[in-house]
Amino acid sequence: MTKINLNRLDPQFKNRVAEQPGGEGLKACFACKACTAACPIQPLDKRYDPRKIIRMVLLGMKDQVLGSDFIWLCSSCYSCQEVCPQNVRFTEVMYAIKNLAAQEACIPPGLMAQRSLLRKHGRLYEVGEFENEKRLKFGLPPIIEHPEDFEKLLPDQSVGV
Amino acid sequence: MEALLYLGCTVPIRNLNYEVSARLTAKALGITFRDLEEFSCCGFPLKSLNVEDTMVTAARNLALAEREDLDICALCNACAGTLNEVAHQIRTRPEIREKINQRLRPIGLHVEGKVRVRNFMRLLWEEIGVEGIRKAVTRPLEGIMLAPHYGCHYLKPSELNVGFDSSETPRTLSEMIGATGAEVVNYPSLLDCCGGGLLGMSEEVANAMAARKLVDVSKTGAHALVLVCPFCNVMYEGQQKKIAKSTGLDLKTPVVYYPQVLGLALGMTSEQLGFKLNRIKPASLLKIVEG
Ligand code: SF4
Ligand code: SF4
Ligand code: SF4
Ligand code: SF4
C-alpha cells in the first residue's frame, strides 16, 4: 500500500463527484467488488479497478484520481453497473470523474480535437465533395453539414460550464 | 411504418455498406425511412468531457424529430443508446428537461422527450419480427454459419432495453440471423466488449479486448462475424490485421453487417448490398449464396 498523505485529501471530492449527473448513487457503495470482477479492463491493466477508484473518491484522493491517466481507460461497457447490488451506476460515475478531470484541464488531446470538430462541423467527420460523390455512387443522398447551431450550443472552451 | 433514419457521423462516411443494406432491406420489408438533413452528431463523443454537452447535442436531434412527429431509428449502437438515454432523462427528470431547454432556446428548439428511439435491430424485431423475416426470405442462407456480436450499447444499460432483450442471455440478433436460414454459431466470448471505446487511449488494451472474440469466432469455423454497429466494426474489421500481427495468430474472419446478410436472404445481390466495401472479403459465404 502506498501511504496516503492526509494533508492532500479533499473531503469535498466525493460530494463533487456525486453532484455530477450520473454520480448520484456513489456513496451507497459497500465495496463488494462485483464491479471489479465484471470489468473487462481490470485484468488487462491492474491499475484500473472500479472498486478501488470508488474507495479513492470516498477517501477524498482527488489529485490521485483526477490526475491519473488510467481513468480514461473505461470502455463504457456498462458491465459494472449491471452487476452492482447497490445500484451504483459506475459507468456514469466514471463519466462524472472524467468531467471533473476535464474541468481541471487534464484532457487527452484526442478528445479536445473531437470537440473542436463538433463545434465547427456538427459532426465528427468533415463532409466534403469527395464523401458525397462516393455516396452518390451507392445511390445515397448527400450529407449536408449544419454547423450553424453548434457554436451557440457548445460554448467556447465550455469544458466545465 | 415510417421512421426517421438517424445516420450519425460515422456510418454515412465510413460504413456505406451498412447504410445501403439497411435502407434496401427496410424498404423491401415495408419500412419507410425518412431522412432529416439537419440531424447531426448524437453527442456521444462529448460525454467524457461534459455530460451536459452530450445531453444538449442529443436533445437537438430529439427536438428536430419531435417537430416531424416521427420516431427515430439509428444504425449505430452508441447513437441509439445516447439518444435513447437522453430522451429518457428528459422525460423523467423535469430539472434536466428545464436545463436542456434553456440551452436549446438560442437555436429556437424545444424538447419534451416524446420521440421513441430504437436501433435498427429493435425496429426490425418489433415491427417485422422473426416470423415476418422468415416469410420474406426468398433465398434461405442454407449452409452458412454466422456468429453474432451484439455490442454493449445494444444490450446495456438494461433499464433502457426493458421488453427487448436480455444483457445476460441475448437472443434478438441470433434469432434474426436464424430467420435468414443461416446457422447461428455460439462461442464463449459472445458478451465481450470490443474495446473500441478506448482505442484512442490505449491501442494495446483495446486490441487485447477484441482479440479474444476474433480467436473464438475463427475457431468455430463461422463464415462471418455479424455486427450491427460501426464502432464494433472499427475493432473487429479495422484492427483485425494488426491484432493478427501482434498476437501472431492466423486471423481472417470476415465481418459483415446484419442487413447485408438479410439482404442476401431477401434475394438481393452482393453488389447492391455494398459487399465490395467489406475489407475482409466473405468470399466463401458469397460463393455458397451466389455461386
Ligand atoms: S459492485 Fe457496487 S457496491 Fe460493489 S464495489 Fe462495485 S460499486 Fe461498490
Ligand atoms: S464501464 Fe468501464 S468500469 Fe465499468 S466495467 Fe466497463 S470498462 Fe469497467
Ligand atoms: S455515436 Fe458516434 S457515430 Fe454515432 S452519432 Fe455519435 S459520434 Fe456519431
Ligand atoms: S462492443 Fe464496443 S463499440 Fe460495440 S457497442 Fe460495445 S463498447 Fe460500443
Side-chain angles (χ1 to χ4, degrees):
Chain A
M1 272 291 271
T2 40
K3 262 220 187 111
I4 301 168
N5 179 350
L6 283 172
N7 295 326
R8 284 181 53 210
L9 294 182
D10 176 353
Q12 284 309 313
F13 184 42
K14 60 175 181 292
N15 298 326
R16 282 183 69 203
V17 175
E19 276 161 18
Q20 303 290 313
E24 299 88 0
L26 169 78
K27 294 175 199 166
C29 171
F30 57 24
C32 74
K33 237 178 164 193
C35 49
T36 296
C39 176
I41 310 293
Q42 206 277 332
L44 299 171
D45 189 330
K46 294 279 181 266
R47 295 173 310 157
Y48 190 87
D49 182 334
R51 186 197 65 114
K52 219 160 104 191
I53 294 172
I54 296 182
R55 288 294 106 188
M56 288 168 84
V57 172
L58 293 175
L59 281 169
M61 298 167 74
K62 179 178 145 232
D63 297 344
Q64 292 92 326
V65 173
L66 298 189
S68 67
D69 53 358
F70 65 74
I71 58 172
W72 304 96
L73 285 177
C74 174
S75 82
S76 111
C77 71
Y78 293 102
S79 301
C80 48
Q81 75 182 40
E82 291 286 317
V83 297
C84 177
Q86 290 293 92
N87 286 321
V88 177
R89 305 180 72 224
F90 189 69
T91 311
E92 304 300 341
V93 170
M94 278 316 294
Y95 280 114
I97 290 172
K98 285 179 279 187
N99 282 193
L100 286 175
Q103 284 179 30
E104 319 253 318
C106 317
I107 305 167
L111 287 180
M112 249 351 243
Q114 288 189 341
R115 188 174 194 282
S116 316
L117 274 170
L118 271 184
R119 274 195 92 225
K120 214 156 143 201
H121 302 283
R123 334 180 56 89
L124 217 48
Y125 304 104
E126 203 180 332
V127 188
E129 255 172 62
F130 172 79
E131 284 77 17
N132 278 328
E133 268 165 30
K134 190 170 167 199
R135 290 180 57 77
L136 191 64
K137 271 190 209 144
F138 283 87
L140 296 168
I143 299 290
I144 295 153
E145 286 188 5
H146 280 272
E148 58 278 356
D149 289 348
F150 285 84
E151 291 207 351
K152 290 185 206 150
L153 215 52
L154 302 174
D156 198 11
Q157 283 297 331
S158 92
V159 209
V161 221
Chain B
M1 75 99 35
E2 199 179 0
L4 291 170
L5 181 62
Y6 182 84
L7 294 170
C9 325
T10 308
V11 170
I13 304 301
R14 301 213 164 162
N15 311 89
L16 300 189
N17 48 356
Y18 188 16
E19 182 183 343
V20 108
S21 58
R23 285 183 191 268
L24 275 178
T25 50
K27 195 170 170 201
L29 295 166
I31 296 167
T32 307
F33 278 148
R34 262 190 42 208
D35 287 276
L36 198 58
E37 196 192 283
E38 290 83 2
F39 274 156
S40 296
C41 177
C42 70
F44 181 65
L46 298 169
K47 200 171 172 187
S48 291
L49 298 176
N50 190 304
V51 170
E52 208 186 292
D53 284 353
T54 294
M55 291 202 267
V56 284
T57 307
R60 177 184 167 280
N61 297 302
L62 296 170
L64 290 166
E66 269 174 32
R67 272 204 320 216
E68 306 294 315
D69 202 17
L70 277 174
D71 288 346
I72 288 178
C73 172
L75 298 181
C76 162
N77 281 351
C79 304
T82 305
L83 296 175
N84 200 357
E85 183 199 316
V86 174
H88 178 78
Q89 301 262 17
I90 291 170
R91 271 196 299 273
T92 54
R93 298 181 59 184
E95 76 285 4
I96 286 184
R97 180 164 64 230
E98 177 56 29
K99 215 174 191 179
I100 289 176
N101 276 317
Q102 258 171 34
R103 283 183 66 179
L104 286 178
R105 209 161 294 143
I107 61 167
L109 288 174
H110 180 85
V111 71
E112 295 284 329
K114 278 187 298 207
V115 298
R116 199 168 168 218
V117 181
R118 284 179 283 185
N119 61 37
F120 184 50
M121 288 311 294
R122 185 164 187 173
L123 193 86
L124 287 179
W125 178 261
E126 290 176 349
E127 302 294 334
I128 311 295
V130 174
E131 265 322 299
I133 301 249
R134 211 171 265 145
K135 277 191 203 128
V137 165
T138 55
R139 179 168 58 180
L141 303 182
E142 275 153 26
I144 305 287
M145 289 159 63
L146 297 172
H149 169 71
Y150 288 81
C152 321
H153 297 108
Y154 183 101
L155 300 166
K156 297 175 279 185
S158 48
E159 73 237 38
L160 291 180
N161 285 313
V162 179
F164 175 47
D165 209 342
S166 147
S167 62
E168 280 158 32
T169 50
R171 65 189 181 105
T172 50
L173 177 56
S174 315
E175 290 186 18
M176 296 294 257
I177 291 173
T180 66
E183 181 188 333
V184 185
V185 173
N186 246 314
Y187 58 95
S189 52
L190 175 73
L191 297 178
D192 273 19
C193 170
C194 67
L198 56 132
L199 184 60
M201 305 300 155
S202 169
E203 188 173 356
E204 196 190 330
V205 177
N207 284 354
M209 285 172 75
R212 192 160 83 137
K213 185 175 295 249
L214 286 172
V215 171
D216 279 359
V217 170
S218 79
K219 274 190 201 147
T220 65
H223 291 97
L225 176 66
V226 180
L227 307 185
V228 287
C229 169
F231 276 163
C232 312
N233 182 273
V234 169
M235 291 310 301
Y236 295 124
E237 189 180 54
Q239 292 289 109
Q240 193 176 135
K241 231 181 181 166
K242 276 193 183 169
I243 294 170
K245 206 168 162 204
S246 66
T247 53
L249 294 161
D250 177 30
L251 294 172
K252 248 200 175 146
T253 302
V255 177
V256 299
Y257 288 105
Y258 177 73
Q260 291 191 290
V261 285
L262 173 61
L264 290 175
L266 297 178
M268 295 159 189
T269 67
S270 56
E271 199 190 329
Q272 287 175 301
L273 295 163
F275 271 98
K276 75 170 171 224
L277 295 178
N278 292 55
R279 292 208 258 164
I280 303 158
K281 301 289 167 224
S284 60
L285 185 161
L286 292 178
K287 192 152 179 243
I288 297 175
V289 179
E290 295 189 315

